Amino acid sequence: NAGVMQNPRHLVRRRGQEARLRCSPMKGHSHVYWYRQLPEEGLKFMVYLQKENIIDESGMPKERFSAEFPKEGPSILRIQQVVRGDSAAYFCASSSRLRDRGVNEQFFGPGTRLTVL
Amino acid sequence: AQSVSQHNHHVILSEAASLELGCNYSYGGTVNLFWYVQYPGQHLQLLLKYFSGDPLVKGIKGFEAEFIKSKFSFNLRKPSVQWSDTAEYFCAVKFGNEKLTFGTGTRLTIIP
C-alpha cells in the first residue's frame, strides 16, 4: 500500500541544465498537485493536474516550467534552464476522485530537493 | 487576496506544557481547513481537517483544532506536548477550489 512516490529525492543541477521531477500518485488516485517550498517559506501551490489534463496552473511560473500527467506513467514537473532561484523542495500530492463530503484529502510525497549550483 | 497566516514562527516548549499554534485566514466564503505536520526528514502528514459540522475537531496524536468563523481562525492545540512532537506544523486552507494555500509554518521544539 505505497503512498505517493517521488524521485529523485535529491537532485543537483548546474545553471542552464534541465530538471525533471517525477511523482507517482497513490494507487487509485487520479489527481496530482505540485507545490514548491522555498527556504524559510511555506508550501506554494504550482499546478493541479488530472490524467492528461492541466486543471489549474495559476501557481506555475510563466517560463521554463511545465507539468504533465500522462495517461500512463508518473506526473512530471520539468524545469528548463534552471537558475539558482529554482533551488527548493518540490512536493507532489495526490487525491482520489471520490469526495468525502465534498473535500478531497491530499496525500503528500517525500519531496524532491533541487539544488542548483 | 486569499491568504493564510501563522504568526508563530518558532515555538519552544518544555515537555508536558500546553500548546496552541495560531492560524488565521483572509476570506469570507466557505473554506476547508487543515493542519499538517512535517517531522524532521519526513514528508507532510495530515493531523486533522475541518470541512463542516462541529467546529472542534480531533486529530491524531492528541491534537485538536477549533474553527472560529467570526475570527477567521483555526488554532491547533494539544494539552500536553511530548518531545516527539518536535516538528514543523503547517496550516492550510482550501478557498473554494482544489488547491491548498499554506501558511509559512511554525517550527515547534520540545525540550525534554
Side-chain angles (χ1 to χ4, degrees), chain B residues 8-9 16 29 37 40 42-43 48 59 65 71 74 76 98 104 106 112:
Chain B
N8 311 108
H9 297 293
V37 61
Q42 296 187 28
H43 58 277
L48 46 79
K71 294 185 178 180
F74 190 55
L76 181 71
E98 291 301 313
T104 51
T106 297

Side-chain angles (χ1 to χ4, degrees), chain A residues 2-16:
Chain A
V4 179
M5 310 283 283
Q6 288 188 251
N7 67 82
R9 295 291 305 274
H10 299 273
L11 181 62
V12 179
R13 286 287 179 265
R14 297 190 181 279
R15 280 179 297 170

Side-chain angles (χ1 to χ4, degrees), chain A residues 9 31 33 35 37 40-43 45 48 56 58 91 99-110 113, chain B residues 32 34 36 38 41-46 49-52 88 90 94 97-105 107:
Chain A
R9 295 291 305 274
H31 300 213
Y33 313 79
Y35 295 85
Q37 185 179 27
E40 305 301 320
E41 294 187 20
L43 282 77
F45 168 80
Y48 162 40
D56 181 351
S58 58
F91 290 93
R99 287 177 167 259
D100 174 16
R101 282 186 277 172
V103 178
N104 287 340
E105 178 182 337
Q106 294 180 22
F107 295 83
F108 282 80
R113 300 199 179 276
Chain B
N32 302 127
F34 306 79
Y36 283 87
Q38 187 175 28
Q42 296 187 28
H43 58 277
L44 283 161
Q45 301 172 40
L46 183 67
K49 61 186 177 185
Y50 170 83
F51 35 85
S52 66
E88 188 139 20
F90 293 94
K94 279 193 185 183
N97 52 36
E98 291 301 313
K99 64 186 181 187
L100 287 170
T101 300
F102 283 84
T104 51
R107 187 180 305 170

Side-chain angles (χ1 to χ4, degrees), chain A residues 2-116:
Chain A
V4 179
M5 310 283 283
Q6 288 188 251
N7 67 82
R9 295 291 305 274
H10 299 273
L11 181 62
V12 179
R13 286 287 179 265
R14 297 190 181 279
R15 280 179 297 170
Q17 291 184 319
E18 179 179 284
R20 287 178 141 244
L21 289 63
R22 293 175 187 78
C23 169
S24 296
M26 282 180 68
K27 189 176 181 181
H29 284 189
S30 57
H31 300 213
V32 165
Y33 313 79
W34 285 93
Y35 295 85
R36 176 166 65 174
Q37 185 179 27
L38 294 169
E40 305 301 320
E41 294 187 20
L43 282 77
K44 296 277 196 273
F45 168 80
M46 298 182 75
V47 63
Y48 162 40
L49 310 105
Q50 295 178 22
K51 288 281 187 183
E52 300 183 283
N53 284 303
I54 296 175
I55 307 302
D56 181 351
E57 57 181 348
S58 58
M60 286 277 271
K62 298 292 181 224
E63 297 177 350
R64 302 187 298 108
F65 285 72
S66 62
E68 62 177 12
F69 188 18
K71 189 176 180 182
E72 301 291 338
S75 175
I76 307 286
L77 179 68
R78 183 192 298 174
I79 312 172
Q80 297 177 300
Q81 299 175 328
V82 295
V83 301
R84 288 216 175 106
D86 296 333
S87 294
Y90 292 82
F91 290 93
C92 169
S94 73
S95 67
S96 66
R97 185 177 180 179
L98 295 175
R99 287 177 167 259
D100 174 16
R101 282 186 277 172
V103 178
N104 287 340
E105 178 182 337
Q106 294 180 22
F107 295 83
F108 282 80
T112 294
R113 300 199 179 276
L114 172 66
T115 302
V116 179

Side-chain angles (χ1 to χ4, degrees), chain B residues 41-108:
Chain B
Q42 296 187 28
H43 58 277
L44 283 161
Q45 301 172 40
L46 183 67
L47 271 180
L48 46 79
K49 61 186 177 185
Y50 170 83
F51 35 85
S52 66
D54 188 345
L56 183 63
V57 292
K58 306 277 187 191
I60 61 171
K61 306 188 180 187
F63 286 90
E64 64 178 32
E66 185 175 11
F67 171 46
I68 303 180
K69 190 173 181 180
S70 61
K71 294 185 178 180
F72 302 95
S73 71
F74 190 55
N75 292 357
L76 181 71
R77 300 195 292 247
K78 186 170 183 177
S80 176
V81 294
Q82 301 170 304
W83 179 79
S84 58
D85 293 325
T86 294
E88 188 139 20
Y89 292 80
F90 293 94
C91 179
V93 181
K94 279 193 185 183
F95 294 106
N97 52 36
E98 291 301 313
K99 64 186 181 187
L100 287 170
T101 300
F102 283 84
T104 51
T106 297
R107 187 180 305 170
L108 176 64

Side-chain angles (χ1 to χ4, degrees), chain B residues 5-44:
Chain B
S5 298
Q6 291 181 249
H7 301 295
N8 311 108
H9 297 293
H10 192 187
V11 173
I12 302 173
L13 293 172
S14 299
E15 274 190 311
S18 65
L19 169 72
E20 181 160 1
L21 301 182
C23 174
N24 290 87
Y25 63 92
S26 60
Y27 184 64
T30 301
V31 294
N32 302 127
L33 302 154
F34 306 79
W35 274 98
Y36 283 87
V37 61
Q38 187 175 28
Y39 297 104
Q42 296 187 28
H43 58 277
L44 283 161

